């Protein structure tokens, strides 16, 4: 067997060594086919890999359901807080209007009564 680099490939075919080595020249020839270092099946990057059969789609849907529920709760809390803020501002405005009206009525009554008193 020919001598191999630390990655398990022939020294002239190892792309890792060629990339990391500062003294190598850029090669314009087509790239070599990757061979596994310890034998076995070659890795095909163009192959479609199916998800594991052990993964349950219910768990994935459950995760999405939790995200939807959390989003709805966050939107509901935001609406509740904004509604509470709007009603608090309206209540303050109501108190100001009632206080102004009561002050005006009190002023007018005091002014009318003071005009009719004899000193």
């Amino acid at each position: 067997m020919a001598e191999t680099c630390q990655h398990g490939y022939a020294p002239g075919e190892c792309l890792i060594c060629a990339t990391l080595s500062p003294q190598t020249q850029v090669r314009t020839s087509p790239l070599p086919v990757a061979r596994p270092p310890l034998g076995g099946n070659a890795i095909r990057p163009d192959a479609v890999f199916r998800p594991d059969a052990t993964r349950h789609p219910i768990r994935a849907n459950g995760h999405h359901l939790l995200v939807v529920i959390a989003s709805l709760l966050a939107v509901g809390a935001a609406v509740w807080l904004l509604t509470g803020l709007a009603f608090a501002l309206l209540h303050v405005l109501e108190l100001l209007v009632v206080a102004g009206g009561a002050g005006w009525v009190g002023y007018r009554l005091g002014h009318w009564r003071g005009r009719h008193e004899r000193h």
Side-chain angles (χ1 to χ4, degrees), residues 25-31:
Q25 296 179 352
V26 177
R27 194 178 351 168
T28 58
S29 64
L31 297 175

Side-chain angles (χ1 to χ4, degrees), residues 45-112:
D46 61 335
V48 177
F49 294 100
R50 305 245 182 240
D52 291 337
T54 59
R55 185 171 181 218
H56 298 287
I58 295 173
R59 289 184 185 162
N61 291 338
H63 174 70
H64 294 299
L65 183 64
L66 288 176
V67 170
V68 169
I69 290 173
S71 300
L72 289 174
L73 286 175
V75 168
V79 168
W80 181 62
L81 286 174
L82 290 175
T83 304
L85 180 65
F87 277 113
L89 290 175
L90 288 174
H91 188 63
V92 168
L93 182 64
E94 175 191 11
L95 290 175
L96 289 175
V97 168
V98 168
W104 181 79
V105 168
Y107 173 77
R108 296 303 290 170
L109 285 174
H111 189 52
W112 179 77

Side-chain angles (χ1 to χ4, degrees), residues 11-42:
E13 295 180 0
C14 182
L15 295 176
I16 300 170
C17 292
T19 304
L20 297 177
S21 173
Q23 298 172 352
T24 57
Q25 296 179 352
V26 177
R27 194 178 351 168
T28 58
S29 64
L31 297 175
V33 177
R35 289 184 223 141
L38 302 175
N41 295 332

